[in-house]
Amino acid sequence: MHPGILEKRANEFRAKLGFGQNDGIRLKSILARLGVITVYKPLSETISGMAIKIGDGDDAYRFLLVNAKKTIGHQHFTICHELYHLYIQHSFTAYICRAGLFNKKSGEEYNADLFSAFLLLPQAGIESLIPDEEYQRDRITLQSILKIEHYFSCSRSALLYRLKELGFISSGKYDEFNKNVKRGAIENGYTIDLYEPGNLEQVIGDYGSIARKLYDAEKISESHYLSLLLDLGMNADKIQCLNNVEE
């Protein structure tokens, strides 16, 4: 898909969700609103996440698995990447993803990366946060980069990709700003949460409620239902307490 069309789709998706081009977006709130069941689990370092779609249209079931070993910034990029698969890509069912590679030879994965960059970091929003005196190639400062990436809650690599594509930085500056990221944040008074892993075992959506409905309707066994609770991060002690309550 042409990059211009992908940017248009990302802007339309933002507008549909009620966000303007200068707004940062709260992805967990969006996932809850859209009804996308999302689970954060530790996965292989080579995997960013996985998306599954069952059915079509508004009645489709959509599921995300996000790698909790990745940084928060990378997780946010991954979620936007997966939203392309779930809402924009035609004839999508399931895929394991490595987000943020921007490999032009990877077809829909490249489209998903571009869509993610456009959705997470709209051009108008980036430009609104760049001071006039830095509005030239390679004039942007680390302070402005930190301000932008924390406002949009994105990874450094995603922001640098956008700045390079928009002509604000060269390849040399890209490499320079991509080093000592945590140190630069601390020296400028920012927290480093964005650059650390997180959200381990968190769940967004009605995963547990669906599991319970399936159990009550005798669609799944008790052992299967309890295994789903374990998938939610509930430990054996909590499950034993649950059994005692039911008794």
Side-chain angles (χ1 to χ4, degrees), residues 8-20:
K8 180 181 178 183
R9 294 288 181 270
N11 291 339
E12 291 171 346
F13 197 75
R14 266 181 162 267
K16 181 179 179 180
L17 293 169
F19 293 98

Side-chain angles (χ1 to χ4, degrees), residues 63-111:
F63 173 82
L64 282 186
L65 185 62
V66 181
N67 191 352
K69 287 184 178 180
K70 297 290 187 180
T71 67
I72 298 295
H74 185 86
Q75 290 176 22
H76 291 168
F77 187 89
T78 297
I79 290 169
C80 292
H81 173 111
E82 305 296 9
L83 287 174
Y84 168 81
H85 291 312
L86 293 175
Y87 288 95
I88 307 299
Q89 181 181 341
H90 296 296
S91 303
F92 175 79
T93 53
Y95 202 84
I96 295 174
C97 302
R98 296 182 64 188
L101 297 181
F102 292 98
N103 183 353
K104 293 183 179 180
K105 296 180 180 179
S106 61
E108 291 291 10
E109 282 295 275
Y110 178 61
N111 288 339

